[in-house]
Amino acid sequence: DVQMTQSPSSLSASVGDRVTITCRTSRSINIHLNWYQQKPGKAPRLLISMATSLQSGVPSRFSGSGSGTDFTLTISSLQPEDFATYYCQQSYTTPTFGPGTKVDIK
Amino acid sequence: EVQLLESGGGLVQPGGSLRVACAASGFIFSSHAMSWVRQAPGKGLEWVSLIRGGSDVIEYADSVKGRFTISRDNSKNTVYLQMNSLRAEDTAIYYCAKGQEIYSTFDFWGQGTLVTVSS
């Protein structure tokens, strides 16, 4: 199995801040990396697939980068509706999720 | 509009069985892989099982292999998860999720159904 780590596990930020979340995998997955957002009591929402491909309807302040084993999700200017938990997930082999990064209000 | 509606969750005793279902609409169901993903209370996401459109490829997480069975009925646009020999650690919200062309990328999710394993 491909093991996933995320850092940080949580962060506190203010509206307007630039936020970066990192995901690392135990072996190369090319660009088969997805990012999801989950708000309390809600199902996850796919934000980015294949490391960089923004899904329809997702605001352009979200972006993804990386390949191989190191990936990044960036929110260029944090908005009130972005406070949530973010998960990375690899689709290269049997799917696995990262442990999540909780983004809350400073 | 894609919709996924899970049903069948509930309280079951350890060692018991339960079948959850997910009714899909708004897309060509038979053309897409479907997965079950679970989330224990206060915990992260765990992929459980996947079935491709023609049921030709089925995969399970090691944690449920031999106990859970995924199936689908394309005539009813429904995917199922039969859960046997349930354990306390299987307690979770169970989400069904639709696969994209990369079939283990999950682009739409249901609202989830809660399965509680307790005596």
Side-chain angles (χ1 to χ4, degrees), chain B residues 47-89:
Chain B
W47 170 81
V48 172
S49 184
L50 174 153
I51 183 168
R52 288 188 67 177
S55 302
D56 53 327
V57 174
I58 290 175
E59 298 178 6
Y60 298 98
D62 288 344
S63 58
V64 307
K65 203 171 291 184
R67 300 188 299 124
F68 289 12
T69 302
I70 193 170
S71 62
R72 63 192 294 158
D73 185 338
N74 287 344
S75 69
K76 296 182 178 179
N77 286 2
T78 301
V79 60
Y80 305 95
L81 186 68
Q82 175 68 43
M83 301 180 287
N84 298 331
S85 303
L86 282 160
R87 307 165 180 167
E89 55 265 34

Side-chain angles (χ1 to χ4, degrees), chain B residues 7-107:
Chain B
S7 61
L11 175 64
V12 60
Q13 291 190 339
S17 297
L18 198 66
R19 188 178 82 159
V20 293
C22 171
S25 61
F27 63 101
I28 302 173
F29 182 73
S30 60
S31 296
H32 290 270
M34 298 295 294
S35 278
W36 289 96
V37 178
R38 69 184 180 183
Q39 187 169 37
K43 302 297 185 182
L45 301 169
E46 180 189 14
W47 170 81
V48 172
S49 184
L50 174 153
I51 183 168
R52 288 188 67 177
S55 302
D56 53 327
V57 174
I58 290 175
E59 298 178 6
Y60 298 98
D62 288 344
S63 58
V64 307
K65 203 171 291 184
R67 300 188 299 124
F68 289 12
T69 302
I70 193 170
S71 62
R72 63 192 294 158
D73 185 338
N74 287 344
S75 69
K76 296 182 178 179
N77 286 2
T78 301
V79 60
Y80 305 95
L81 186 68
Q82 175 68 43
M83 301 180 287
N84 298 331
S85 303
L86 282 160
R87 307 165 180 167
E89 55 265 34
D90 295 317
T91 295
I93 296 171
Y94 284 74
Y95 295 102
C96 71
K98 168 184 170 289
Q100 279 188 337
E101 288 73 20
I102 301 293
Y103 58 82
S104 55
T105 293
F106 312 123
D107 58 356

Side-chain angles (χ1 to χ4, degrees), chain A residues 34 36 38 43 55 89 91 94, chain B residues 39 47 100 104-106 110:
Chain A
N34 308 311
Y36 300 84
Q38 188 180 32
Q55 297 302 291
Q89 176 245 328
S91 53
T94 303
Chain B
Q39 187 169 37
W47 170 81
Q100 279 188 337
S104 55
T105 293
F106 312 123

